[in-house]
Amino acid sequence: MRLLVLELVKFGLVGGSGVAVNLVVFNLLLHGAGSGAMTATVLASCVAMGTNYLGFRFFAYRDRASRTRGQIALFFVFSGIGVAMESVLFYAAYHGAGLSGPLGSNIAKALSIVLASAFRFLVYRTWVFQHEHDARRP
């Protein structure tokens, strides 16, 4: 249980920095550069995905990050699914629930990040950054 809590803390630290990157890039694109809401959310999520990979690889899961092509591919496949989930959730909140405007768009973005992060945590720990003994199980 203690190891799981430590893993959650490390995931939270990396994820928190990724959320910050995601929100900053999102706001720069949407409110600063005048990009469309969906363009801003997808691009911001992709930038955060890259920074998160570095944080997970070198901090949160450094004890089980093998840096194989397979691991990198799995990370980006599952992260891409996470970006798609986040984008659908953002769209539903932004357009469906009317959370637009500066405050509303940030609430929609934050909610979509949080919900998609639960998926990311499960798949990263289960398939991407496995413990060595887990990877050898049939």
Side-chain angles (χ1 to χ4, degrees):
M1 187 59 151
R2 183 175 170 216
L3 291 175
L4 179 60
V5 170
L6 180 61
E7 182 179 345
L8 278 168
V9 168
K10 287 181 175 182
F11 184 88
L13 289 171
V14 172
S17 67
V19 168
V21 167
N22 202 330
L23 288 171
V24 166
V25 172
F26 172 74
N27 279 288
L28 287 173
L29 291 171
L30 181 62
H31 304 295
S35 295
M38 292 309 296
T39 300
T41 197
V42 170
L43 289 176
S45 296
C46 289
V47 171
M49 179 190 342
T51 61
N52 282 351
Y53 176 75
L54 297 173
F56 290 131
R57 166 74 177 92
F58 294 106
F59 174 67
Y61 295 118
R62 73 172 173 236
D63 60 324
R64 44 182 147 151
S66 61
R67 207 169 67 178
T68 63
R69 286 184 184 171
Q71 185 183 63
I72 294 168
L74 278 176
F75 178 86
F76 284 102
V77 165
F78 285 127
S79 292
I81 293 168
V83 168
M85 289 174 64
E86 189 179 315
S87 298
V88 167
L89 292 165
F90 174 80
Y91 183 89
Y94 187 85
H95 293 289
L99 290 175
S100 55
L103 179 61
S105 63
N106 278 283
I107 291 170
K109 182 68 173 163
L111 289 172
S112 68
I113 292 169
V114 168
L115 294 172
S117 291
F119 163 78
R120 290 179 180 118
F121 175 74
L122 292 173
V123 297
Y124 291 166
R125 77 178 310 265
T126 304
W127 289 296
V128 179
F129 298 106
Q130 299 176 357
H131 283 289
E132 193 63 32
H133 60 79
D134 291 340
R136 286 183 281 199
R137 271 195 248 165

